[in-house]
Amino acid sequence: MTDCVLCQTVGGNLLWQNDLLRVIDACDPAYPAFTRVIWKAHAAEMTDLAEEDQQTLMRFVLLVEKTQRALLQPDKINLAAFGNIVPHLHWHIIARWRDDAHFPQPVWAERPEASPAAKLAQENRRKKTSAQIDSYHQALIAALERVAP
């Protein structure tokens, strides 16, 4: 589709890809481990894919989640596939902590006003996660290579 941003661009910092999908770092400064799995062929919904492709896509989404949990040890993982603004099939995998800027709300919600102590905790969380990002990316790429079809 010619006007689809995910058909025209990678959609972030490319970490890994094969013929079917790509995994990118979403480059969100507030959420350094925000990762997306993007189906390469233009499709809007999971049910647009053949069952085998649905299973392949979810296998990779869950592998990203598993890697985030193992390396980053978040309090929660958020998985989302909206497509309201970008109607190209992609999944958001977001590591969340109780001390992040939006918790327990979605990362897209309005950021609540935080106390100075909460702001300090949020900045410390962001710095800690940022310091782990290279190790996370390396482990994720290795895991993706192991399961790639």
Side-chain angles (χ1 to χ4, degrees):
M1 182 174 264
T2 59
D3 62 343
C4 174
V5 68
L6 292 180
C7 288
Q8 297 173 358
T9 69
V10 172
N13 178 29
L14 181 64
L15 299 174
W16 182 90
Q17 67 181 332
N18 67 10
D19 292 341
L20 299 174
L21 54 87
R22 63 184 171 266
V23 178
I24 62 106
D25 177 331
C27 303
D28 186 320
Y31 296 93
F34 190 146
T35 306
R36 287 190 190 107
V37 177
I38 303 168
W39 192 253
K40 282 186 169 182
H42 188 81
E45 308 296 345
M46 286 292 290
T47 52
D48 291 340
L49 302 182
E51 189 172 321
E52 181 180 333
D53 290 338
Q54 293 170 3
Q55 292 170 0
T56 297
L57 177 55
M58 289 314 298
R59 186 170 73 242
F60 281 88
V61 168
L62 296 174
L63 181 61
V64 174
E65 176 185 313
K66 182 178 180 178
T67 305
Q68 284 186 357
R69 291 184 71 198
L71 273 86
L72 304 174
Q73 300 176 342
D75 295 316
K76 182 72 179 99
I77 298 286
N78 289 172
L79 298 177
F82 300 114
N84 299 339
I85 295 172
V86 180
H88 182 117
L89 189 54
H90 63 286
W91 282 83
H92 306 268
I93 304 95
I94 311 163
R96 301 294 306 277
W97 288 268
R98 287 182 181 88
D99 58 3
D100 75 38
H102 288 93
F103 199 87
Q105 301 302 317
V107 299
W108 296 282
E110 187 174 326
R111 186 180 288 198
E113 185 60 35
S115 69
K119 287 180 183 177
L120 180 60
Q122 292 164 7
E123 180 60 16
N124 288 339
R125 166 61 56 207
R126 190 195 61 72
K127 285 179 181 177
K128 181 178 181 181
T129 307
S130 292
Q132 296 174 297
I133 208 68
D134 286 339
S135 295
Y136 162 64
H137 286 166
Q138 289 172 7
L140 179 57
I141 292 165
L144 292 164
E145 287 293 330
R146 282 192 301 272
V147 302

